[in-house]
Amino acid sequence: PRGEDGKFISAGGGSSVPALGKSQAAMFAPAPAGAMQKPKAPQAKPKQEPVATHQKHLEGKVSEADVNRLPKDKQEQFKSMYENAARNKDHFDKINKEIAESVGGKSAVVPLKGSARAVEKIMADYEGDPSKIKDLLRTTIEIKSPADVTKAIEQLKAKYGEPVKFRNSLAHDAPSVGGSGYRDVNMVIEINGSYAEVQINFRSEEH
């Protein structure tokens, strides 16, 4: 029963309990189905794998049209040579930089030789045999003095072993290349199954 003031009166005559208004009653109404479910955790985006460094060295360097100019039985070998050269490039560049800096010089970081020029050379000079090309990997080390030439050569041999090819036209008694007046050290080394060409020149501002 209610009293005149609208409050419930307990049967035992005790203290009255106030009636719930509509807004208060809504607070205690049962929750609709599904309202108590836990919110879904945000879905993590799939992690993108970085492009392998050696693949970056190959970007734009090998064309299928160029590969198809080679004899069919040599095409896979040619592509494999590029893959291996790309895998060795960072290590090759690091070694050359360390050697150049140790003699006060600098080394050039050069992209892989493009397949168009490589195939042209293979077909013209090597009868279609890609194994004979030796400069898919290459660099030039620039140094200051003849004494540094000797030091650089010694360090290159210590790192790579005896070169496959070696020419030193910077030696004081050596003729220029083909009588042209051009002089350099040109050596072909082997690094983890790849051949690479290393040239040594004097810095242009020094000589």
Side-chain angles (χ1 to χ4, degrees):
R2 297 174 184 265
E4 291 180 355
D5 58 0
K7 297 180 180 180
F8 286 102
I9 301 173
S10 66
S15 61
S16 61
V17 179
L20 294 175
K22 288 183 179 181
S23 60
Q24 292 173 310
M27 294 174 59
F28 296 96
M36 299 301 290
Q37 293 180 358
K38 293 176 67 176
K40 291 184 179 180
Q43 296 295 315
K45 293 182 179 180
K47 184 179 179 182
Q48 292 184 341
E49 292 296 326
V51 177
T53 302
H54 84 279
Q55 291 294 339
K56 292 181 181 179
H57 294 316
L58 289 171
E59 288 176 2
K61 289 299 171 186
V62 185
S63 160
E64 280 298 321
D66 294 329
V67 174
N68 290 336
R69 291 168 56 198
L70 294 170
K72 288 191 179 298
D73 62 336
K74 302 294 185 181
Q75 293 176 8
E76 288 304 316
Q77 179 187 18
F78 182 68
K79 289 191 284 188
S80 177
M81 287 171 62
Y82 263 98
E83 283 279 344
N84 202 39
R87 291 182 187 278
N88 288 324
K89 183 171 175 14
D90 286 340
H91 187 45
F92 176 69
D93 289 339
K94 181 175 181 291
I95 290 173
N96 300 328
K97 182 175 184 290
E98 290 172 352
I99 291 174
E101 289 179 350
S102 74
V103 295
K106 61 180 180 179
S107 62
V109 177
V110 184
L112 295 179
K113 193 183 197 77
S115 61
R117 180 70 186 99
V119 169
E120 181 183 329
K121 191 171 182 179
I122 290 166
M123 298 302 290
D125 299 341
Y126 305 136
E127 300 179 335
D129 183 357
S131 69
K132 293 183 178 179
I133 195 163
K134 302 292 193 288
D135 62 348
L136 298 184
L137 275 173
R138 60 264 174 85
T139 192
T140 297
I141 295 175
E142 293 186 329
I143 55 175
K144 296 179 180 179
S145 71
D148 294 332
V149 171
T150 302
K151 293 175 185 176
I153 291 171
E154 288 174 351
Q155 291 192 51
L156 287 164
K157 288 182 177 181
K159 284 288 186 180
Y160 297 118
E162 282 299 313
V164 176
K165 169 190 168 185
F166 181 79
R167 180 192 71 218
N168 182 5
S169 59
L170 291 179
H172 71 279
D173 56 349
S176 63
V177 179
S180 64
Y182 174 77
R183 297 176 180 276
D184 71 355
V185 173
N186 186 295
M187 56 199 300
V188 173
I189 58 88
E190 189 270 335
I191 175 170
N192 299 327
S194 290
Y195 290 116
E197 181 184 73
V198 179
Q199 293 181 330
I200 302 175
N201 291 320
F202 289 122
R203 287 189 184 181
S204 56
E205 67 268 23
E206 300 289 341
H207 292 268

